[in-house]
Amino acid sequence: MDQPTAAKPPLNPISEAPTVSVVLPALNEREALPSVIADLRRNVGECEIIVVDDGSSDGTAETAEALNCIVVRHGRNKGKGAALRSGFAAATGEFIICMDADATYPADAVAEMAKLLEDHDYVRADRVIDESNTPRVNRIGNMAMGRILKTLHGLGPGDHLSGLYGFRSDVFEELATEASGFDIEVEIGIKVKERGLRVATMPISYHPRIGDKKLNPFRDGARILGRILRLLLVYRPLLLFGLPGLILTVVSIVAAIALAGGPIITGYLGLSIHTFIVSSLGILAGFQLLTFGIAGAVYRRHLGFAVTPVLDKITSSTVRTGAALVGLAITAVCGIWLAITIAGWIISGGPEFTATRSLVLTATGAVFGLQLLSAALFITLVADRTA
């Protein structure tokens, strides 16, 4: 497996651990690096500069070494997120700042960010974005992602896709990031919020990049959106699965009860046996989503998050045992009723079957009972795993 390798700076390495380490993930950034590094040394002073060459083909690593930087090499392109983790692993500073290596971010912000990190765990620089520095499609994408993050994950306003941010050295590893590409920023933002870290933000100017752009607004936008949705599985399972499942279950039960006695025909609407069947299936589908949402919420305990008192009660050992017994009883009663219904039809010589509602009702009840039983067992496994 390709492992990152670090090259020591060829001139005068810093003898003691610096207060500030600056990590520059770089892919074919030879053209911009001299300007970026000169600005850092002019504005920040003595700091540890780590350039992570993420499989460049233009001599980025050699340029960084010539500029007396620490260089971490990836033999192949692994993505910004992977480069960031390699750079943070090599850093020795008390405060670690990540900055894109394309000259779009002002180096004079780094010193102020380091000062803010004295009292905060995470500092993010929010860009002032306009038509002079960002293409329209990127501006639209940034606004859309911001709204999605606010709606789904409860993040506050700000530039959650900024490439300039910093951590105290002991904080980043605790986030256990997984993103390998440009979705690393949204993963950081969501995990920082969920863990209740002390956060500071500061506005910065933003400049047109030097060299070719690396971010594809459509491909990488889809990856960022995918990361936001995947993290819903961990941090918002009740929102993603539990709430839709509960709504579908309740609506389907109401519809099934209303249609159990026969079709409902009005001047504007006609609901028949077919709707009754669909409603019965909706009960099963909705309950399955609800179960998964609850199990996902319980699993959050494994990640170090507290479970709400309400969720703790409805997933307690007593409730799980009761649900399993009720599910077993429903399965037995409905199974027997279903068997009697089918046996009666067979004994009568197999005329045209007319007890469709009874068949659907008992079959649905039997399957629902099994779902309730299996849900109790499934949540028990998850609860025991996270205890």
Side-chain angles (χ1 to χ4, degrees), residues 24-27 29 32-33 36 51 99-105 209-210:
L24 302 173
L27 173 62
E29 299 290 4
L33 270 180
V36 172
V51 176
M99 186 170 77
D100 288 350
D102 56 7
T104 53
Y105 292 92
R209 65 167 291 122
I210 295 176

Side-chain angles (χ1 to χ4, degrees), residues 230-252:
R230 280 197 294 276
L231 288 172
L232 279 176
L233 291 171
V234 177
Y235 297 113
R236 294 289 185 274
L238 288 176
L239 175 65
L240 185 63
F241 295 103
L243 182 59
L246 179 62
I247 293 173
L248 179 58
T249 301
V250 171
V251 170
S252 298

Side-chain angles (χ1 to χ4, degrees), residues 10-32:
L11 300 180
N12 298 315
I14 299 171
S15 57
E16 298 181 359
T19 300
V20 179
S21 296
V22 180
V23 175
L24 302 173
L27 173 62
N28 295 329
E29 299 290 4
R30 181 185 64 178
E31 187 179 353

Side-chain angles (χ1 to χ4, degrees), residues 36-78:
V36 172
I37 293 169
D39 283 348
L40 281 171
R41 288 183 172 143
R42 181 169 55 252
N43 288 282
V44 184
E46 185 174 359
C47 66
E48 181 180 63
I49 301 177
I50 302 170
V51 176
V52 183
D53 175 26
D54 191 32
S56 299
S57 58
D58 69 342
T60 290
E62 291 75 15
T63 299
E65 288 175 348
L67 292 168
N68 196 29
C69 298
I70 295 175
V71 178
V72 178
R73 297 173 182 258
H74 288 175
R76 58 181 176 82
N77 178 247
K78 297 182 178 181

Side-chain angles (χ1 to χ4, degrees), residues 329-351:
I330 292 174
T331 300
V333 171
C334 290
I336 293 171
W337 186 0
L338 176 62
I340 292 173
T341 300
I342 296 175
W345 173 67
I346 294 174
I347 293 172
S348 64

Side-chain angles (χ1 to χ4, degrees), residues 179-325:
S180 59
F182 288 104
D183 47 338
I184 185 66
E185 275 82 27
V186 297
E187 180 181 12
I188 287 173
I190 292 168
K191 289 186 173 181
V192 162
K193 186 259 182 185
E194 291 294 337
R195 293 183 179 276
L197 300 184
R198 298 172 299 168
V199 179
T201 61
M202 52 179 284
I204 58 166
S205 57
Y206 188 62
H207 311 293
R209 65 167 291 122
I210 295 176
D212 297 331
K213 66 177 183 178
K214 308 302 186 301
L215 185 143
N216 182 298
F218 300 103
R219 181 193 65 230
D220 293 307
R223 172 177 285 184
I224 291 169
L225 180 59
R227 177 65 55 183
I228 292 172
L229 296 177
R230 280 197 294 276
L231 288 172
L232 279 176
L233 291 171
V234 177
Y235 297 113
R236 294 289 185 274
L238 288 176
L239 175 65
L240 185 63
F241 295 103
L243 182 59
L246 179 62
I247 293 173
L248 179 58
T249 301
V250 171
V251 170
S252 298
I253 288 174
V254 171
I257 291 174
L259 291 166
I264 299 175
I265 307 297
T266 70
Y268 305 96
L269 185 67
L271 302 179
S272 64
I273 184 63
H274 306 293
T275 311
F276 177 70
I277 294 173
V278 170
S279 298
S280 300
L281 293 174
I283 296 172
L284 303 178
F287 184 74
Q288 189 138 356
L289 287 173
L290 178 60
T291 299
F292 190 84
I294 293 174
V298 172
Y299 181 75
R300 281 170 52 82
R301 187 185 285 120
H302 174 67
L303 303 174
F305 296 100
V307 173
T308 64
V310 173
L311 185 64
D312 207 33
K313 278 187 177 181
I314 65 175
T315 59
S316 66
S317 174
T318 301
V319 172
R320 295 196 308 266
T321 302
L325 293 175

